[in-house]
Amino acid sequence: MNRVVVVSNRVPAPSAAGAQAGGLAVALEALMEQRGGLWFGWSGKIEASPSDKPRLLDAGRIRFATIDLDPEEHERYYNEFSNSTLWPLLHSMAELMTFDRRNAAVYRTVNQRFTDALVPLLAAGDMIWVHDYHLMSMPAMLRAAGVQAPIGFFLHIPFPSPDVLNSVPEAGALVRDLLATDLIGFQTRNDLDNFAEAAIRLGNAQRDSGGWLVADGRRIRLAVFPVEIEAREFAAIAEDSWRSVPAERLRRSLAGQQLILGVDRMDPTKGLVQRLAGYRRFLETQPQWHRKVSFLQIAAESRKDVIAYQDLRTDVEQEAGGINSLFAEPDWTPLRLIARAGARATMAGYMREARVGLVTPLRDGMNLVAKEYIAAQDPQDPGVLVLSRFAGAARQLDSCLLVNPYDTDEVADAIGTALGMSLVERTERWRAAWNAIEGASALGWGRSFLAALVRASSSGPQPGATADSNALQLTRMRSAPDLRRPEGQASPGLSLL
Ligand code: F6P
């Protein structure tokens, strides 16, 4: 089996790839362990004069290769261009975005440093899988360095309409850089359609009769691969954890009140302020629930050097304080806010305890917490998920209570509806949601993407592609027929362009 080279901004520490790491990191590692893998990216360290030579660490069949960033790179590439420009832009929240062309230049510099450090580590037969918005220029840079291996890119977050995208001068160049891939994967059809339109309008791409994009003599396949969780495994963790000491302590503290739960990163896209406003409206309009519920919001601190995130924390704390000062009683706290991450297993137990799960991002690529909440439920007595229509997960979990997170009254009403819902209706809605996620897995998601990458890169000559005699000679996947049978068995992405 040919080696997979995963490239991502963050690389999980090998030792963390268990209890603490999210399901996706674990699944990617499992995939790489099976076929041998190289995982390349940022070490998470900031050094005054970082070396361009990657630090290597072998763990089982996986080689981890990481480089450090210098303070300016960390600021301009990570905090600024990735998380203050691209993150809000790609979430269609241009009003939260800042732009400075110096940051864009450092973003390109870091993408080039990643490329230069990665290329010497590549070997014949590799297939390269680049992840997410931090590294959108890398596919073109890899091609410019002569890499002919299959390159796939997966965007974990949404992709906006070309009109929104156009608010950043660099956007057209980034779209063109991505067109150096063989396959680009998206979370939803909407993201795919937006990208295809942007590629045609800003990237000089065209559609061919087979439904591919063609740009600069290359054919690029677009497909949808909704990220999944290991649902059965998470369900088992939740069942165990529900009996654990932390869950037991939480239950005791509730003293019979129904638990409403939110678990998020403290991020402007998660709609935390709007969610709290919805809860406040619920308490105002449905006083019959006073003293009978308690809302636990876990909002793990994230990207704390980014100003929008600092402002958000202030706003969330203010809104939370306002709710408690208005509605709390000496012996009742309507809202508990924790601005720290909790262990994944503990969260699973809390999710099983919660009668209502609130997942109301303003926009979200997928939102795996929504899937985890469903997986964590007791099938005999499931809770109700109140889910934003603007989360990718809403496409699959449409049996849940879908809300517009900006509509305070709709969120308030949905909380009341969820709390008052009969066991029969809760079970019906939960069963439909469980059926949507039960059969899928994060590992299957990864396999599907790689299978589609093999197909995309082996589907015939690239029109107009030229051989570069000086190029690094990396074998294209179509010359590795042994790979194609097992890959071909994996299920494809949901839809193709
Ligand atoms: O959703 C995009 C993403 O990059 C995730 O992959 C990650 O878990 C999250 O955002 C946190 O990002 P950061 O690496 O900036 O802490």
Side-chain angles (χ1 to χ4, degrees), residues 180-195:
T181 52
D182 299 285
L183 171 70
I184 309 177
F186 300 90
Q187 298 273 22
T188 68
R189 178 80 210 196
N190 191 44
D191 304 318
L192 183 155
D193 288 341
N194 283 340
F195 180 84

Side-chain angles (χ1 to χ4, degrees), residues 289-359:
W289 288 107
H290 289 194
R291 310 181 71 93
K292 297 196 177 108
V293 296
S294 186
F295 176 16
L296 169 60
Q297 175 64 56
I298 294 172
E301 189 175 53
S302 178
R303 302 176 190 163
K304 57 185 170 35
D305 299 329
V306 179
I307 292 177
Y309 289 68
Q310 294 164 6
D311 293 347
L312 173 70
R313 182 166 181 162
T314 308
D315 293 347
V316 166
E317 287 175 351
Q318 198 173 333
E319 182 65 29
I323 290 172
N324 277 337
S325 64
L326 205 57
F327 297 101
E329 305 280 350
D331 57 347
W332 177 53
T333 310
L335 174 66
R336 311 169 188 199
L337 172 67
I338 299 177
R340 290 185 309 278
R344 192 159 165 262
T346 306
M347 293 305 109
Y350 291 178
M351 285 177 187
R352 192 175 178 93
E353 177 64 29
R355 170 52 57 87
V356 182
L358 283 186
V359 179

Side-chain angles (χ1 to χ4, degrees), residues 119 142-149 466-475:
V119 167
L142 286 164
R143 294 290 182 223
V147 173
Q148 294 174 36
T466 53
D468 176 353
S469 54
N470 295 321
L472 186 73
Q473 287 308 304
L474 298 175
T475 316

Side-chain angles (χ1 to χ4, degrees), residues 8 17 29 75 87 92 95 139 149 167 175 194 201-202 210 282 292 300 314 340 346 355 371 388 433 440 469 486 497:
S8 60
E29 290 213 34
E75 182 58 21
W87 177 267
S92 302
E95 71 283 1
S167 16
V175 167
N194 283 340
R201 275 168 57 180
L202 311 176
F282 160 76
K292 297 196 177 108
T314 308
R340 290 185 309 278
T346 306
R355 170 52 57 87
K371 293 184 175 181
S388 165
S469 54
L497 175 73

Side-chain angles (χ1 to χ4, degrees), residues 73-330:
E73 288 172 340
H74 180 250
E75 182 58 21
R76 290 187 182 278
Y77 151 78
Y78 176 74
N79 285 335
E80 290 293 341
F81 197 70
S82 294
N83 288 322
S84 306
T85 302
L86 291 179
W87 177 267
L89 177 76
L90 298 182
H91 282 87
S92 302
M93 296 170 76
E95 71 283 1
L96 285 185
M97 182 188 92
T98 59
F99 174 77
D100 182 328
R101 61 175 64 168
R102 279 162 286 261
N103 299 332
V106 175
Y107 176 89
R108 291 193 74 77
T109 307
V110 172
N111 273 245
Q112 189 65 59
R113 268 191 70 213
F114 270 47
T115 303
D116 295 344
L118 173 63
V119 167
L121 303 178
L122 297 175
D126 282 350
M127 51 204 296
I128 303 169
W129 187 2
V130 182
H131 288 256
D132 235 354
Y133 60 101
H134 314 84
L135 301 170
M136 289 168 78
S137 296
M138 261 189 95
M141 291 172 174
L142 286 164
R143 294 290 182 223
V147 173
Q148 294 174 36
I151 302 179
F153 180 91
F154 186 79
L155 184 67
H156 290 254
I157 67 176
F159 198 88
S161 74
D163 285 341
V164 173
L165 194 71
N166 249 338
S167 16
V168 164
E170 258 62 21
L174 292 176
V175 167
R176 283 191 291 280
D177 287 346
L178 285 179
L179 296 174
T181 52
D182 299 285
L183 171 70
I184 309 177
F186 300 90
Q187 298 273 22
T188 68
R189 178 80 210 196
N190 191 44
D191 304 318
L192 183 155
D193 288 341
N194 283 340
F195 180 84
E197 209 184 321
I200 291 164
R201 275 168 57 180
L202 311 176
N204 298 325
Q206 293 172 336
R207 284 173 216 255
D208 78 2
S209 54
W212 297 67
L213 281 183
V214 179
D216 285 338
R218 297 191 53 75
R219 300 203 313 153
I220 305 104
R221 180 57 94 183
L222 308 186
V224 175
F225 302 87
V227 174
E228 302 292 353
I229 62 165
E230 307 295 330
R232 290 192 203 103
E233 193 184 302
F234 196 83
I237 294 172
E239 197 177 348
D240 276 359
S241 170
W242 186 77
R243 295 196 188 85
S244 69
V245 173
E248 183 49 44
R249 282 170 55 181
L250 173 62
R251 221 167 6 257
R252 226 178 307 130
S253 78
L254 288 168
Q257 293 159 31
Q258 303 274 23
L259 178 65
I260 302 171
L261 180 68
V263 180
D264 303 81
R265 281 187 306 105
M266 181 83 84
D267 189 293
T269 61
K270 301 296 179 189
L272 292 167
V273 174
Q274 292 79 356
R275 187 181 308 169
L276 293 179
Y279 184 59
R280 177 199 279 256
R281 183 69 49 84
F282 160 76
L283 293 174
E284 280 162 9
T285 56
Q286 306 199 41
Q288 70 274 23
W289 288 107
H290 289 194
R291 310 181 71 93
K292 297 196 177 108
V293 296
S294 186
F295 176 16
L296 169 60
Q297 175 64 56
I298 294 172
E301 189 175 53
S302 178
R303 302 176 190 163
K304 57 185 170 35
D305 299 329
V306 179
I307 292 177
Y309 289 68
Q310 294 164 6
D311 293 347
L312 173 70
R313 182 166 181 162
T314 308
D315 293 347
V316 166
E317 287 175 351
Q318 198 173 333
E319 182 65 29
I323 290 172
N324 277 337
S325 64
L326 205 57
F327 297 101
E329 305 280 350

